[in-house]
Amino acid sequence: MKLVLEVSTGEETTVREWDGKVLRLGRSPESDVQLFGPGVAEHHVRLLEDGDGLRLECPMNTSVRLNDEPVRKAKLEIGNSFYIDSHKIMIRPSDEQGAVANVRVLQYDDVTKIPTAATSENIAVRSAKSSKRKWSYGLLALGLLLSLAFPLMSTFDAETKLVFEEYGLPTDTIWSSGDLASAHNIPGIANECKVCHQSPFVSVRDSDCLTCHQELPAHGNNDIHKQVGESQRQCLSCHKEHNEPSTLVHTDNAFCTDCHADTLNWDDNKKTLPPVLGFSAAEHPEFKLQYLTPHSTADTIDWQNIAHSTTAKTPEMSNLKFPHDLHLGGDKVQRSDGQAMECSDCHSLDKNGEHFEPITMDTTCRSCHALEFDIQAKGRELHHGEPELVLQQLTEYFALQYTDPALRAEREQDGRRMPSIASLSAMDRDTCKEDAIDCARQAALLEAETQFERTGCAVCHVIIKDESKPLHQRWHVEPIQLQDNWYNTRFDHTVHMVGDQKTETGMCLTCHQADNSAQSSDVLIPDLGKCVTCHTDARVAATKKQVSSSCIDCHSFHIPGKPKMLDAYLGRIHD
Amino acid sequence: MALNKNILLFNNTIYGKLALVLGIICIAIYMSSDNPANGGTWQGYTLGILGTVIIVWLTLLGIRKRSYRSSLGTVQGWTSAHVYLGLVLLLIGTLHCGYQFGWNIHTLAYVLMVIVIISGMYGLWLYLMLPNSMERNRKNLSRENMLRQFDHFNQEAVIIAADLPADIQNAVGSAIKYTTLGGSAYAQIRAKDSSRVSLDASQPLKLVDNRDQQALLSYVAHELPKPKHSTEQHEKLQALLDILSQRKTLLNSLRLDMNRQTLLHIWLVIHIPFSIALLGVLTAHIISVFFYW
């Protein structure tokens, strides 16, 4: 018997040819078509050939439903169908050559076994809740472990930290909130938090800083803040580490004006500091200029560096006669190349750009103001700086002139040829008929008078003549007292050489009005009013379109020359 | 007014205005510092304390929304304040750190905070955008209803196909078996249709692409006019095509619904665990800055 078997599970259908005597259907694995379900017996039904058609037999106590009737044996014709439990078996005509029939087995039961799409996952994202909780605990634990537990353990001792570093575990260095300033970013400090942070939950103390910074000068002669009754300031008040970008010094004015907003008085040295609130005409006291000021005592003059108000315009007493206006402009004084003089011809900045190289006769004045005294001896100059030797030098010079007959004859001849030379005394000495030594002494005295009182020295120097004194001490040249440092603050000339002036001298004159100064007693240092035309507080700098300036741009906290910080900290220094 | 609108407009956007004022105050506090304004200045400590209080309060929403018996404000009010304070927290946190970032736990805490806030913004955006389109897509059916309907279509199709030739039966059965839908949260979001079908019963199982059930529908549609089928079979084929078309439409709706609803949930899988992790790292941040003061 040849059959075509179509077995459909609902999900897939197989079609195969079957050849045999008995087609067995049932739960048994030996069945030709294996069926499942509670109502299916092991050997449920057999199909056998019966003439043109088929015959069904239920071997045991089983039955099938044919036309809704339970039957155990029946003849089947093409087109018949019966059920075993929920399975439908159809006998259909076959297209295949020689096949008796097409037996189609529909495992109807499996329709309900089609996997349902209504799974709990598909109905709602229930899994999200548990995963949220799982992830929450997981990340919390990971976060605490990496950011707190491991770093905390690494602080216990240096060995633990080394082990942690070796295994790449986080140590307390991941607590660092920013890079250290380059000076501190060195081995031994950079990765060793405890070098500065010596006690947990206590901020860095001054003693921790002073372990290294012992030599730094303090702000005052003592713990100045204690003196004025303020709570003690710490290094930390101004110096904050772990900033990005790394900046070690706070520029906030508040750190100064916390104390300096009020007038500060020091009873012990009678010193008073006016209040400062910021940098503007209203907030900053007028500048005090310090310059050498003479104080006459019983037998001498004492020069002291005294601070003067800029508004009082106290004249400077330098003993130098120097009209700036005459030297500038080019009308009366020119350089050797015929051009007007520039400020820098005399004033050259020193290497820090704040002060100028000292003005001296040799470096600054002599190229124009040579100390020649005899027109017949070009290039021969008097000694500078030694007034008591001038008379001696002149006597020696003229002694030779009068002793040597050739020189004397030449001098007489020149005197007649050029009757209008320098001075009357020169004419007299050229025609002197006396002894050589007398003539020499006479000529030297005459020349000394000329130099000290009229032309040479007297052009620049203040000279006091005392007739009662011996000849060589008769003229006293007052010492020049030039000021080299007017302010105890920082100032950089180089960065101030800006503006719309085309020449360097023009830039100098913007602040120093030398072109209007006829007297050397004029103080040409600018005052607060000049500075605040360009500079102001950081707060308002942007709106006023001015340069932002904080206290420490000009003032240092650590004042050179003051006692060391360590001493101030320990309170060992007393005024 | 829809519930999802209520969150932003709650009580005349009172919390929005409060957050705005708070933000302006915080900017003023930040501007008052001349120095590198970081957490170590009084401005920094002020903003830090404020930020911490806000973070702790924001995480309390998770407790408040479960406390059905609580009368401490409405959940809508809390959520509205949660949204606005969460947004202003981004500003406060940034001002607190003074734009100072590095490879340390402080920046880690900041990054976690940013992740939480950005995921929150995404969640808010979803809540504002998705529910309306989801409503339209579902046509008043629940997800479960839709899935039961889908199961029903599957069974109907198998039963109808049972009376049709083996090839068609095989196509329908395999198409149902190899239709992809849903699965894990990731699969629901991805909503990739990788359905396949076997269109030849005589060959060993050979599956071809059945994206959007196109292959199956076109196979059945081509069978329909063939003369070899009896009248009865034509009717069955017509019914089958009808069922399969409805099934396809439902399938598309289901995929869209799963994608949208999973999105509505999945951002919380980022938002909540990261906010809990933030609490941990924030604790470490606070302890560490005072440990090494």
PDB file of all heavy atoms in Angstrom, chain A residues 419-435:
ATOM      1  N   PRO A 419      92.324 138.211  21.965  1.00  0.00           N
ATOM      2  CA  PRO A 419      92.080 139.010  23.165  1.00  0.00           C
ATOM      3  C   PRO A 419      90.756 138.656  23.857  1.00  0.00           C
ATOM      4  O   PRO A 419      90.585 138.941  25.027  1.00  0.00           O
ATOM      5  CB  PRO A 419      92.070 140.443  22.634  1.00  0.00           C
ATOM      6  CG  PRO A 419      91.749 140.340  21.188  1.00  0.00           C
ATOM      7  CD  PRO A 419      92.190 139.010  20.719  1.00  0.00           C
ATOM      8  N   SER A 420      89.858 138.100  23.204  1.00  0.00           N
ATOM      9  CA  SER A 420      88.538 137.912  23.832  1.00  0.00           C
ATOM     10  C   SER A 420      88.287 136.481  24.280  1.00  0.00           C
ATOM     11  O   SER A 420      87.210 135.959  24.161  1.00  0.00           O
ATOM     12  CB  SER A 420      87.436 138.332  22.846  1.00  0.00           C
ATOM     13  OG  SER A 420      87.545 137.534  21.698  1.00  0.00           O
ATOM     14  N   ILE A 421      89.305 135.799  24.731  1.00  0.00           N
ATOM     15  CA  ILE A 421      89.098 134.430  25.202  1.00  0.00           C
ATOM     16  C   ILE A 421      88.341 134.427  26.519  1.00  0.00           C
ATOM     17  O   ILE A 421      88.226 135.449  27.195  1.00  0.00           O
ATOM     18  CB  ILE A 421      90.412 133.637  25.299  1.00  0.00           C
ATOM     19  CG1 ILE A 421      91.415 134.431  26.093  1.00  0.00           C
ATOM     20  CG2 ILE A 421      90.921 133.217  23.945  1.00  0.00           C
ATOM     21  CD1 ILE A 421      92.651 133.675  26.451  1.00  0.00           C
ATOM     22  N   ALA A 422      87.998 133.240  26.856  1.00  0.00           N
ATOM     23  CA  ALA A 422      87.003 132.957  27.894  1.00  0.00           C
ATOM     24  C   ALA A 422      86.694 134.044  28.914  1.00  0.00           C
ATOM     25  O   ALA A 422      85.543 134.451  29.054  1.00  0.00           O
ATOM     26  CB  ALA A 422      87.384 131.672  28.602  1.00  0.00           C
ATOM     27  N   SER A 423      87.688 134.528  29.584  1.00  0.00           N
ATOM     28  CA  SER A 423      87.344 135.454  30.661  1.00  0.00           C
ATOM     29  C   SER A 423      88.442 136.473  30.854  1.00  0.00           C
ATOM     30  O   SER A 423      89.541 136.378  30.296  1.00  0.00           O
ATOM     31  CB  SER A 423      87.144 134.663  31.962  1.00  0.00           C
ATOM     32  OG  SER A 423      88.386 134.087  32.308  1.00  0.00           O
ATOM     33  N   LEU A 424      88.134 137.422  31.669  1.00  0.00           N
ATOM     34  CA  LEU A 424      89.097 138.473  31.987  1.00  0.00           C
ATOM     35  C   LEU A 424      90.327 137.865  32.673  1.00  0.00           C
ATOM     36  O   LEU A 424      91.468 138.179  32.368  1.00  0.00           O
ATOM     37  CB  LEU A 424      88.441 139.505  32.924  1.00  0.00           C
ATOM     38  CG  LEU A 424      89.253 140.757  33.237  1.00  0.00           C
ATOM     39  CD1 LEU A 424      89.525 141.559  31.971  1.00  0.00           C
ATOM     40  CD2 LEU A 424      88.558 141.582  34.278  1.00  0.00           C
ATOM     41  N   SER A 425      90.077 136.944  33.580  1.00  0.00           N
ATOM     42  CA  SER A 425      91.180 136.327  34.315  1.00  0.00           C
ATOM     43  C   SER A 425      92.139 135.632  33.359  1.00  0.00           C
ATOM     44  O   SER A 425      93.345 135.637  33.557  1.00  0.00           O
ATOM     45  CB  SER A 425      90.630 135.353  35.353  1.00  0.00           C
ATOM     46  OG  SER A 425      89.992 134.288  34.689  1.00  0.00           O
ATOM     47  N   ALA A 426      91.628 135.041  32.314  1.00  0.00           N
ATOM     48  CA  ALA A 426      92.479 134.351  31.370  1.00  0.00           C
ATOM     49  C   ALA A 426      93.438 135.336  30.684  1.00  0.00           C
ATOM     50  O   ALA A 426      94.605 135.024  30.473  1.00  0.00           O
ATOM     51  CB  ALA A 426      91.629 133.631  30.336  1.00  0.00           C
ATOM     52  N   MET A 427      92.898 136.532  30.345  1.00  0.00           N
ATOM     53  CA  MET A 427      93.744 137.556  29.729  1.00  0.00           C
ATOM     54  C   MET A 427      94.852 137.964  30.671  1.00  0.00           C
ATOM     55  O   MET A 427      96.009 138.080  30.300  1.00  0.00           O
ATOM     56  CB  MET A 427      92.908 138.770  29.341  1.00  0.00           C
ATOM     57  CG  MET A 427      92.363 138.680  27.924  1.00  0.00           C
ATOM     58  SD  MET A 427      91.410 140.125  27.511  1.00  0.00           S
ATOM     59  CE  MET A 427      92.721 141.333  27.324  1.00  0.00           C
ATOM     60  N   ASP A 428      94.438 138.178  31.945  1.00  0.00           N
ATOM     61  CA  ASP A 428      95.407 138.619  32.943  1.00  0.00           C
ATOM     62  C   ASP A 428      96.534 137.621  33.102  1.00  0.00           C
ATOM     63  O   ASP A 428      97.701 137.967  33.119  1.00  0.00           O
ATOM     64  CB  ASP A 428      94.726 138.823  34.301  1.00  0.00           C
ATOM     65  CG  ASP A 428      93.796 140.033  34.256  1.00  0.00           C
ATOM     66  OD1 ASP A 428      93.918 140.806  33.307  1.00  0.00           O
ATOM     67  OD2 ASP A 428      92.937 140.139  35.154  1.00  0.00           O
ATOM     68  N   ARG A 429      96.152 136.351  33.199  1.00  0.00           N
ATOM     69  CA  ARG A 429      97.178 135.356  33.490  1.00  0.00           C
ATOM     70  C   ARG A 429      98.111 135.164  32.316  1.00  0.00           C
ATOM     71  O   ARG A 429      99.285 134.818  32.479  1.00  0.00           O
ATOM     72  CB  ARG A 429      96.542 134.027  33.935  1.00  0.00           C
ATOM     73  CG  ARG A 429      95.968 133.221  32.810  1.00  0.00           C
ATOM     74  CD  ARG A 429      95.292 131.985  33.336  1.00  0.00           C
ATOM     75  NE  ARG A 429      94.728 131.263  32.213  1.00  0.00           N
ATOM     76  CZ  ARG A 429      93.583 130.631  32.242  1.00  0.00           C
ATOM     77  NH1 ARG A 429      92.849 130.630  33.345  1.00  0.00           N
ATOM     78  NH2 ARG A 429      93.163 130.012  31.181  1.00  0.00           N
ATOM     79  N   ASP A 430      97.611 135.383  31.122  1.00  0.00           N
ATOM     80  CA  ASP A 430      98.483 135.202  29.971  1.00  0.00           C
ATOM     81  C   ASP A 430      99.574 136.285  29.901  1.00  0.00           C
ATOM     82  O   ASP A 430     100.638 136.079  29.349  1.00  0.00           O
ATOM     83  CB  ASP A 430      97.652 135.235  28.682  1.00  0.00           C
ATOM     84  CG  ASP A 430      96.802 133.974  28.578  1.00  0.00           C
ATOM     85  OD1 ASP A 430      97.094 133.014  29.330  1.00  0.00           O
ATOM     86  OD2 ASP A 430      95.852 133.957  27.772  1.00  0.00           O
ATOM     87  N   THR A 431      99.239 137.430  30.451  1.00  0.00           N
ATOM     88  CA  THR A 431     100.217 138.526  30.361  1.00  0.00           C
ATOM     89  C   THR A 431     100.955 138.727  31.666  1.00  0.00           C
ATOM     90  O   THR A 431     101.578 139.766  31.890  1.00  0.00           O
ATOM     91  CB  THR A 431      99.499 139.817  29.967  1.00  0.00           C
ATOM     92  OG1 THR A 431      98.435 140.038  30.918  1.00  0.00           O
ATOM     93  CG2 THR A 431      98.915 139.713  28.581  1.00  0.00           C
ATOM     94  N   CYS A 432     100.870 137.770  32.561  1.00  0.00           N
ATOM     95  CA  CYS A 432     101.525 137.890  33.864  1.00  0.00           C
ATOM     96  C   CYS A 432     103.045 137.990  33.662  1.00  0.00           C
ATOM     97  O   CYS A 432     103.644 137.192  32.950  1.00  0.00           O
ATOM     98  CB  CYS A 432     101.179 136.684  34.736  1.00  0.00           C
ATOM     99  SG  CYS A 432     101.943 136.757  36.356  1.00  0.00           S
ATOM    100  N   LYS A 433     103.609 138.999  34.333  1.00  0.00           N
ATOM    101  CA  LYS A 433     105.045 139.218  34.156  1.00  0.00           C
ATOM    102  C   LYS A 433     105.817 138.809  35.409  1.00  0.00           C
ATOM    103  O   LYS A 433     107.020 138.991  35.480  1.00  0.00           O
ATOM    104  CB  LYS A 433     105.312 140.723  33.871  1.00  0.00           C
ATOM    105  CG  LYS A 433     104.606 141.234  32.649  1.00  0.00           C
ATOM    106  CD  LYS A 433     105.172 140.615  31.372  1.00  0.00           C
ATOM    107  CE  LYS A 433     104.437 141.163  30.156  1.00  0.00           C
ATOM    108  NZ  LYS A 433     104.328 140.186  29.105  1.00  0.00           N
ATOM    109  N   GLU A 434     105.140 138.298  36.397  1.00  0.00           N
ATOM    110  CA  GLU A 434     105.804 137.997  37.663  1.00  0.00           C
ATOM    111  C   GLU A 434     106.529 136.646  37.609  1.00  0.00           C
ATOM    112  O   GLU A 434     106.612 136.011  36.568  1.00  0.00           O
ATOM    113  CB  GLU A 434     104.780 138.005  38.800  1.00  0.00           C
ATOM    114  CG  GLU A 434     104.196 139.390  39.032  1.00  0.00           C
ATOM    115  CD  GLU A 434     102.943 139.354  39.900  1.00  0.00           C
ATOM    116  OE1 GLU A 434     102.847 138.483  40.777  1.00  0.00           O
ATOM    117  OE2 GLU A 434     102.053 140.179  39.640  1.00  0.00           O
ATOM    118  N   ASP A 435     106.980 136.217  38.833  1.00  0.00           N
ATOM    119  CA  ASP A 435     107.626 134.914  38.938  1.00  0.00           C
ATOM    120  C   ASP A 435     106.660 133.830  38.455  1.00  0.00           C
ATOM    121  O   ASP A 435     105.445 133.958  38.594  1.00  0.00           O
ATOM    122  CB  ASP A 435     107.934 134.593  40.416  1.00  0.00           C
ATOM    123  CG  ASP A 435     109.212 135.267  40.834  1.00  0.00           C
ATOM    124  OD1 ASP A 435     109.843 135.886  39.961  1.00  0.00           O
ATOM    125  OD2 ASP A 435     109.530 135.166  42.031  1.00  0.00           O
TER     126      ASP A 435
END
